[in-house]
Amino acid sequence: MTCARKIEVLHDAADLVGESPLWDSERNVLWWVDIACRAVRRRDFASGVVSSLETPFIPGALALGEDRHVNIAGGMGLYRITECGSFETIGEAPGSSSSMRMNDGAVDHAGRFWVGTVPLTPQPVPVGALYRFGSDGVLEAVDGLRTQNGTAISPDGATFYVADSHPDLRVIWAYDFDVEAGVLENRRVFHQVSRGRPDGAAVDADGCYWFAAIDAGLIIRLDPLGREMEAIPLPVSRPTNLAFYGTDLSALAVTTMSVGTQGEKLAGSLLTLPSGVRGWPQPRLALGYTGARKEMRAH
């Protein structure tokens, strides 16, 4: 079912590859990244001001920590943004940042950060993986991924989702998730995407999975069995990710990209629309430093 919604612009600027929106209720701020511009952005809802911080690595997923710091998976590592705008290393995944980079991620109910990797250039074989950053270090949890995306967790913590947006796959998988052990089991196809490709995702309070259908210009909502409930058309063809935000978590923030579009007026903008439902407060990252503390600054 196609459902029209009133869509507004939160930030009218052409991000090359806007991604990873993150709602920070304590600061009344929305964070996101521009992957290609190597920047972390934030919109302050009190002032309406948007500011940017350059990153010394290619940025990927964002997560709030229990200490209120913003954490960012970028390059092949996980970093904490300090108060002075530098980056402290929390952990590093195996592999070279010259060939791979961190992409999409989600924090589980135990405070672990699950982040996948994608190759910087197309590869003939699957080389991406999903990593678990926890207090016990960094673990490779899933391998054989082409273009990892759509990582999300159900409100009860029992179901874990991962998508592969490679054009040859376009699939969303679901796993049974043992939160206490941090183990994924029983992988099955949750939804085979027929319109566009599955990019970033979020799960609402009812356990329904919402994803950005890149190249189709849609936000699609699936019920807990993977059946399409509604498709919301957007004024751009390449939405990338979404997050519930606001005082009652009923609004959706949608990041978009301008790369690969043909002069679309709002391509690369940060959009917002009412969801008609509510999200749920996302877990916080609960990690100390897993290695020697290192500080990085953008040049």
Coordinates of all heavy atoms in Angstrom, one line a residue, residues 8-19 32-37 41 50 52 214 234-241 254-272:
E8 N 9.1 17.3 4.9 CA 9.7 18.6 5.0 C 11.2 18.4 5.0 O 11.7 17.3 5.1 CB 9.2 19.3 6.3 CG 7.7 19.5 6.3 CD 7.3 20.1 7.6 OE1 8.0 20.1 8.6 OE2 6.2 20.7 7.7
V9 N 11.9 19.5 4.9 CA 13.4 19.5 4.8 C 14.0 20.0 6.2 O 13.6 21.1 6.6 CB 13.9 20.3 3.7 CG1 15.4 20.4 3.6 CG2 13.3 19.8 2.3
L10 N 14.8 19.2 6.8 CA 15.5 19.6 8.0 C 16.8 20.3 7.7 O 17.3 21.2 8.4 CB 15.8 18.4 8.9 CG 14.6 17.8 9.6 CD1 15.1 16.5 10.4 CD2 14.0 18.8 10.6
H11 N 17.5 19.9 6.6 CA 18.7 20.5 6.2 C 18.8 20.4 4.7 O 19.0 19.4 4.1 CB 19.9 19.8 6.9 CG 21.2 20.4 6.5 ND1 21.5 21.8 6.7 CD2 22.4 19.9 6.1 CE1 22.7 22.0 6.3 NE2 23.3 20.9 5.9
D12 N 18.7 21.6 4.1 CA 18.7 21.7 2.6 C 20.1 21.9 2.1 O 20.5 23.0 1.8 CB 17.8 22.8 2.1 CG 17.6 22.8 0.6 OD1 18.1 21.8 0.0 OD2 17.0 23.7 0.1
A13 N 20.9 20.8 2.0 CA 22.2 20.9 1.5 C 22.5 19.5 0.9 O 22.0 18.5 1.3 CB 23.2 21.1 2.7
A14 N 23.3 19.6 -0.2 CA 23.5 18.4 -1.0 C 24.7 17.5 -0.4 O 25.8 17.5 -0.9 CB 23.9 18.8 -2.4
D15 N 24.3 16.8 0.6 CA 25.3 15.7 1.1 C 25.6 14.8 -0.1 O 24.7 14.4 -0.8 CB 24.7 14.9 2.3 CG 24.8 15.7 3.6 OD1 25.6 16.6 3.7 OD2 24.1 15.2 4.5
L16 N 26.9 14.4 -0.2 CA 27.2 13.5 -1.3 C 26.6 12.1 -0.9 O 25.9 11.5 -1.7 CB 28.7 13.4 -1.4 CG 29.4 14.7 -2.0 CD1 30.9 14.4 -2.1 CD2 28.8 15.1 -3.3
V17 N 26.9 11.6 0.3 CA 26.3 10.4 0.8 C 25.9 10.6 2.3 O 26.7 10.2 3.2 CB 27.3 9.2 0.6 CG1 26.6 7.9 1.0 CG2 27.8 9.1 -0.8
G18 N 24.8 11.2 2.5 CA 24.3 11.3 3.8 C 23.9 9.9 4.4 O 23.4 9.1 3.6
E19 N 24.2 9.7 5.7 CA 23.9 8.4 6.2 C 23.8 8.4 7.8 O 24.2 9.4 8.4 CB 25.1 7.4 5.9 CG 24.8 6.5 4.7 CD 23.8 5.3 5.1 OE1 23.3 5.3 6.3 OE2 23.5 4.5 4.3
W32 N 24.3 12.9 12.0 CA 24.4 12.1 10.8 C 25.7 12.3 10.2 O 26.5 13.1 10.7 CB 23.2 12.3 9.8 CG 23.3 13.5 9.0 CD1 23.7 13.6 7.7 CD2 22.9 14.9 9.3 NE1 23.6 14.9 7.2 CE2 23.1 15.7 8.2 CE3 22.4 15.5 10.5 CZ2 22.8 17.0 8.2 CZ3 22.1 16.8 10.5 CH2 22.3 17.6 9.4
V33 N 26.1 11.5 9.2 CA 27.4 11.6 8.5 C 27.2 11.9 7.1 O 26.1 11.5 6.5 CB 28.3 10.4 8.8 CG1 28.4 10.1 10.2 CG2 27.7 9.2 8.0
D34 N 28.2 12.4 6.4 CA 28.4 12.4 5.0 C 29.6 11.6 4.7 O 30.7 12.0 5.0 CB 28.5 13.8 4.4 CG 28.5 13.9 2.9 OD1 28.9 12.8 2.3 OD2 28.2 14.9 2.3
I35 N 29.4 10.4 4.2 CA 30.5 9.4 4.1 C 31.5 10.0 3.1 O 32.7 10.0 3.4 CB 29.9 8.1 3.6 CG1 29.1 7.4 4.7 CG2 31.1 7.1 3.2 CD1 28.4 6.1 4.2
A36 N 31.1 10.4 1.9 CA 32.0 10.8 0.9 C 32.8 12.1 1.3 O 33.9 12.3 0.9 CB 31.3 11.0 -0.4
C37 N 32.1 13.0 2.1 CA 32.8 14.2 2.5 C 33.6 14.1 3.8 O 34.2 15.0 4.2 CB 31.7 15.3 2.7 SG 31.1 16.0 1.1
R41 N 27.8 15.5 11.0 CA 27.0 16.7 11.1 C 26.0 16.5 12.2 O 25.7 15.4 12.6 CB 26.2 16.9 9.8 CG 27.1 16.9 8.5 CD 26.5 17.6 7.4 NE 27.0 17.3 6.1 CZ 28.2 17.7 5.6 NH1 28.9 18.5 6.4 NH2 28.7 17.4 4.4
V50 N 23.1 23.9 11.9 CA 23.7 22.7 11.5 C 25.2 22.9 11.5 O 25.7 23.9 11.0 CB 23.3 22.2 10.1 CG1 24.1 21.1 9.7 CG2 21.8 21.9 10.2
S52 N 29.3 20.9 11.4 CA 30.0 19.8 10.9 C 31.4 19.6 11.5 O 32.0 20.6 11.9 CB 30.2 19.9 9.3 OG 28.9 19.9 8.7
I214 N 16.8 2.4 -1.5 CA 17.6 3.3 -2.4 C 17.3 2.9 -3.8 O 17.1 1.8 -4.2 CB 19.1 3.2 -2.0 CG1 19.9 4.3 -2.7 CG2 19.6 1.8 -2.2 CD1 21.3 4.4 -2.1
L234 N 9.1 9.3 -1.6 CA 9.9 10.5 -1.3 C 10.2 11.3 -2.5 O 10.1 10.8 -3.6 CB 11.2 10.0 -0.6 CG 11.1 9.2 0.6 CD1 12.5 8.7 1.0 CD2 10.5 10.0 1.8
P235 N 10.6 12.6 -2.3 CA 10.9 13.5 -3.5 C 12.3 13.3 -4.0 O 12.8 14.1 -4.7 CB 10.7 14.9 -2.9 CG 11.0 14.7 -1.4 CD 10.6 13.4 -1.0
V236 N 13.0 12.2 -3.6 CA 14.3 11.9 -4.0 C 14.4 10.4 -4.3 O 13.6 9.6 -3.8 CB 15.4 12.2 -2.9 CG1 15.5 13.7 -2.6 CG2 15.1 11.4 -1.6
S237 N 15.3 10.0 -5.2 CA 15.4 8.6 -5.6 C 16.3 7.8 -4.7 O 16.2 6.6 -4.7 CB 15.8 8.5 -7.1 OG 17.1 9.1 -7.2
R238 N 17.2 8.5 -4.0 CA 18.2 7.7 -3.3 C 18.2 8.0 -1.8 O 19.2 8.6 -1.2 CB 19.6 8.0 -3.9 CG 19.7 7.8 -5.4 CD 21.1 7.6 -5.9 NE 21.5 6.2 -5.7 CZ 22.7 5.7 -6.0 NH1 23.6 6.5 -6.4 NH2 23.0 4.4 -5.8
P239 N 17.2 7.6 -1.0 CA 17.2 7.7 0.4 C 18.2 6.6 0.9 O 18.4 5.6 0.3 CB 15.8 7.4 0.8 CG 15.3 6.5 -0.2 CD 15.9 7.0 -1.5
T240 N 18.9 6.9 2.0 CA 19.9 6.0 2.5 C 19.7 5.4 3.9 O 20.1 4.3 4.1 CB 21.3 6.7 2.5 OG1 21.2 7.9 3.4 CG2 21.7 7.2 1.1
N241 N 19.0 6.1 4.8 CA 18.8 5.6 6.1 C 17.8 6.4 6.8 O 17.3 7.5 6.3 CB 20.2 5.7 6.9 CG 20.3 4.6 7.9 OD1 19.3 4.1 8.5 ND2 21.5 4.2 8.2
V254 N 15.3 11.2 7.6 CA 15.7 10.4 6.5 C 16.9 11.1 5.8 O 16.8 12.2 5.4 CB 14.6 10.2 5.4 CG1 15.1 9.3 4.3 CG2 13.4 9.6 6.1
T255 N 18.0 10.4 5.8 CA 19.2 10.9 5.1 C 19.1 10.4 3.6 O 18.5 9.4 3.3 CB 20.5 10.3 5.7 OG1 20.4 8.9 5.8 CG2 20.8 11.0 7.1
T256 N 19.8 11.2 2.8 CA 19.7 11.0 1.3 C 21.1 11.3 0.7 O 22.0 11.8 1.4 CB 18.7 11.8 0.6 OG1 19.1 13.2 0.6 CG2 17.3 11.7 1.3
M257 N 21.3 10.9 -0.5 CA 22.5 11.1 -1.2 C 22.3 11.8 -2.5 O 21.3 11.7 -3.1 CB 23.3 9.8 -1.4 CG 22.7 8.8 -2.3 SD 23.6 7.2 -2.3 CE 25.1 7.7 -3.1
S258 N 23.3 12.6 -2.9 CA 23.2 13.3 -4.2 C 24.0 12.6 -5.3 O 23.8 12.8 -6.5 CB 23.7 14.8 -4.1 OG 25.0 14.9 -3.6
V259 N 25.0 11.8 -4.9 CA 25.8 11.0 -5.8 C 24.9 10.1 -6.6 O 24.1 9.4 -6.0 CB 26.9 10.2 -5.1 CG1 27.6 9.2 -6.0 CG2 28.0 11.2 -4.5
G260 N 25.1 10.1 -7.9 CA 24.3 9.1 -8.7 C 22.9 9.6 -9.0 O 22.1 8.9 -9.6
T261 N 22.6 10.9 -8.7 CA 21.3 11.4 -9.1 C 21.4 12.4 -10.2 O 22.5 12.8 -10.5 CB 20.6 12.2 -7.9 OG1 21.5 13.2 -7.5 CG2 20.4 11.2 -6.7
Q262 N 20.3 12.7 -10.9 CA 20.4 13.5 -12.1 C 19.7 14.9 -11.8 O 18.6 15.1 -12.3 CB 19.7 12.8 -13.3 CG 20.3 11.5 -13.6 CD 21.7 11.6 -14.1 OE1 22.1 12.5 -14.8 NE2 22.6 10.7 -13.6
G263 N 20.3 15.7 -11.0 CA 19.8 17.0 -10.8 C 18.6 17.1 -9.9 O 17.8 18.1 -10.0
E264 N 18.3 16.1 -9.1 CA 17.1 16.2 -8.2 C 17.3 17.3 -7.2 O 18.3 17.4 -6.5 CB 17.0 14.8 -7.5 CG 16.7 13.7 -8.4 CD 16.7 12.3 -7.6 OE1 16.9 12.4 -6.4 OE2 16.5 11.3 -8.3
K265 N 16.3 18.1 -7.1 CA 16.4 19.3 -6.3 C 16.7 19.0 -4.8 O 17.5 19.8 -4.2 CB 15.0 20.1 -6.3 CG 15.0 21.4 -5.5 CD 13.7 22.1 -5.7 CE 13.7 23.4 -4.9 NZ 12.4 24.1 -4.9
L266 N 16.2 18.0 -4.2 CA 16.4 17.7 -2.8 C 17.4 16.6 -2.5 O 17.6 16.2 -1.4 CB 15.1 17.4 -2.1 CG 14.1 18.6 -2.0 CD1 12.8 18.2 -1.4 CD2 14.7 19.8 -1.3
A267 N 18.0 16.1 -3.6 CA 19.0 15.0 -3.4 C 20.1 15.5 -2.4 O 20.7 16.5 -2.6 CB 19.6 14.6 -4.7
G268 N 20.4 14.7 -1.4 CA 21.4 15.0 -0.4 C 20.9 15.7 0.8 O 21.6 16.0 1.7
S269 N 19.6 16.1 0.8 CA 19.0 16.8 1.9 C 18.7 15.8 3.1 O 18.5 14.6 2.8 CB 17.7 17.5 1.5 OG 18.0 18.5 0.6
L270 N 18.5 16.4 4.2 CA 18.0 15.6 5.4 C 16.5 15.9 5.5 O 16.1 17.1 5.6 CB 18.7 16.1 6.7 CG 18.3 15.4 8.0 CD1 18.6 14.0 8.0 CD2 18.9 16.1 9.2
L271 N 15.7 14.9 5.3 CA 14.3 15.0 5.3 C 13.6 14.6 6.6 O 14.2 13.8 7.3 CB 13.7 14.2 4.1 CG 14.3 14.5 2.7 CD1 13.7 13.5 1.7 CD2 14.1 15.9 2.3
T272 N 12.3 15.0 6.8 CA 11.6 14.5 7.9 C 10.1 14.3 7.5 O 9.6 15.0 6.6 CB 11.7 15.5 9.1 OG1 10.9 15.0 10.2 CG2 11.1 16.9 8.7

